[in-house]
Amino acid sequence: MRNWKKTLIKEHHSLLETMKLIDETALQFAIVVDSDNRLLGTVTDGDIRRALLKGKSLTVNIKEVMNPKPTTGTVSQTKRQHIKILKSNKLKQLPIIGENNKIIDVVLIDDDKQSLKENTVLLMVGGLGTRLRPLTNDIPKPMLQVGGKPLLETIIEGFKQFGYSNFILSVNYKKEIIQDYFQDGEAFGVTISYIEETKRMGTAGALSLLPRVPTEPMIVMNGDLLTQINYDQLMQFHLSQNALATMCVREFEYQIPYGVIETDDTRLTSIKEKPIQKNFVNAGIYVLSPEVFDFIPENQFFDMPDLFERLIEGKKNAAVFPIREYWLDIGRIEDFERANEEYEERYK
């Protein structure tokens, strides 16, 4: 069994320190304990991302983020009972406590990230790449060389390491270059099929071209992103939220170059000099459950924001998943240059 003791973290540690521990350990969660190893709470990747959405600082004490009442097992229970608790609560890890609430073991359902997933991944790779001209005059944007190979190949490899092997590529501009390189995907250890946008369909409209509605949640991603997102955590987050659709988001900062004035009627109340504004923005990665297809019009232009607006109007559960991993949208020449500069460090 993996060394569960590496998941223990003391109550005085910060959110950032806990993030690092979770990313470094194979069990993908942390157990918060006091100086006597008494269980205080647990922290999952989902807990961390929800804290980020609430605007929590990376320096906050982990006690502000942890689940103080996690589901636990006891030493008096059998292994079969522990597994039953895990399955009935849809958990992957179960802390086992003994006398005085001390943590003495962790039982887990080990979903190996290398195991093949049934979920389909739809990659949107039909764009013109106008802002990257002249680089895209003769080649589609996803085939631009980043780190010595096509960006699209790195994207597929990123999914493959988490067990995703069923791909559909939505193609249009210079589609032959993509199809000739990847073909059916066999050379890359995956399965690839294609749908063609004969007209502009938008980031969600192409979903109506799929030959059949998937039976499992599918991931949809723009084909111009360089990212190291954990797709397992993304899918688990989507399922745990009981969402019809999940949008990945990034925190975007910008500084207002002026002093911002606040008033109460005609009275000046404060001046904030060149404040920094923070907002979450669409990161171009989505998880969609099969029910979402009822909201997508047939064979017409339809963007992902339009789809999420429809879900919101219909009072359906649409979730947001904050990306805390490396992410870069290669939409401009300077982004392409930055991607090549950072590739070796990120993907060595």
Side-chain angles (χ1 to χ4, degrees), residues 102-259:
K102 286 189 176 182
I103 179 76
I104 61 171
D105 199 1
V106 174
V107 175
L108 61 147
I109 294 179
D110 191 359
D111 291 333
D112 186 350
K113 72 179 183 181
Q114 297 297 337
S115 61
L116 295 179
K117 309 292 194 303
E118 295 181 4
N119 311 81
T120 299
V121 177
L122 174 62
L123 299 177
M124 312 300 293
V125 295
L128 298 176
T130 305
R131 291 180 297 161
L132 279 165
R133 288 177 179 168
L135 298 179
T136 53
N137 284 346
D138 301 311
I139 189 172
K141 178 166 56 173
M143 295 301 291
L144 291 175
Q145 295 274 315
V146 176
K149 58 185 172 185
L151 170 61
L152 182 54
E153 186 174 345
T154 297
I155 292 174
I156 290 174
E157 288 174 349
F159 279 100
K160 185 181 174 184
Q161 70 170 316
F162 290 101
Y164 293 90
S165 61
N166 301 315
F167 293 87
I168 299 174
L169 306 186
S170 180
V171 297
N172 180 264
Y173 178 66
K174 297 192 179 297
K175 62 179 182 178
E176 300 82 6
I177 295 176
I178 295 175
Q179 292 172 320
D180 289 347
Y181 187 88
F182 289 100
Q183 300 185 34
D184 63 0
E186 182 179 3
F188 301 89
V190 298
T191 300
I192 297 177
S193 60
Y194 301 86
I195 56 175
E196 182 180 357
E197 299 180 46
T198 57
K199 61 180 180 180
R200 292 185 68 239
M201 298 290 290
T203 48
L207 291 165
S208 70
L209 303 178
L210 294 177
R212 64 189 65 87
V213 174
T215 57
E216 299 289 337
M218 73 181 303
I219 298 177
V220 181
M221 176 172 166
N222 296 345
D224 57 359
L225 302 176
L226 189 63
T227 181
Q228 292 180 315
I229 184 175
N230 186 316
Y231 297 107
D232 266 351
Q233 292 174 350
L234 169 59
M235 185 60 71
Q236 288 303 317
F237 183 91
H238 173 79
L239 295 173
S240 70
Q241 300 300 304
N242 293 316
L244 259 65
T246 297
M247 175 188 291
C248 291
V249 297
R250 285 284 294 176
E251 190 172 61
F252 178 74
E253 291 186 1
Y254 61 96
Q255 186 171 32
I256 297 178
Y258 308 101

Side-chain angles (χ1 to χ4, degrees), residues 203 222 247-250 280-286 304-305 308 327:
T203 48
N222 296 345
M247 175 188 291
C248 291
V249 297
R250 285 284 294 176
F280 285 107
V281 298
N282 186 352
I285 308 171
Y286 317 88
M304 276 293 181
F308 277 80
W327 178 94

Side-chain angles (χ1 to χ4, degrees), residues 33 43 48 303:
V33 295
V43 185
I48 289 175
D303 265 335

Side-chain angles (χ1 to χ4, degrees), residues 273-324:
E273 191 63 32
K274 299 181 180 179
I276 294 177
Q277 300 289 328
K278 294 182 179 181
N279 297 97
F280 285 107
V281 298
N282 186 352
I285 308 171
Y286 317 88
V287 184
L288 306 178
S289 291
E291 297 86 347
V292 164
F293 283 77
D294 293 337
F295 295 84
I296 299 172
E298 289 289 329
N299 197 32
Q300 62 179 271
F301 185 90
F302 195 60
D303 265 335
M304 276 293 181
D306 300 325
L307 173 59
F308 277 80
E309 287 286 353
R310 282 197 177 184
L311 294 175
I312 294 169
E313 290 170 1
K315 301 189 183 304
K316 303 300 181 181
N317 187 11
V320 290
F321 179 85
I323 296 177
R324 57 183 180 84

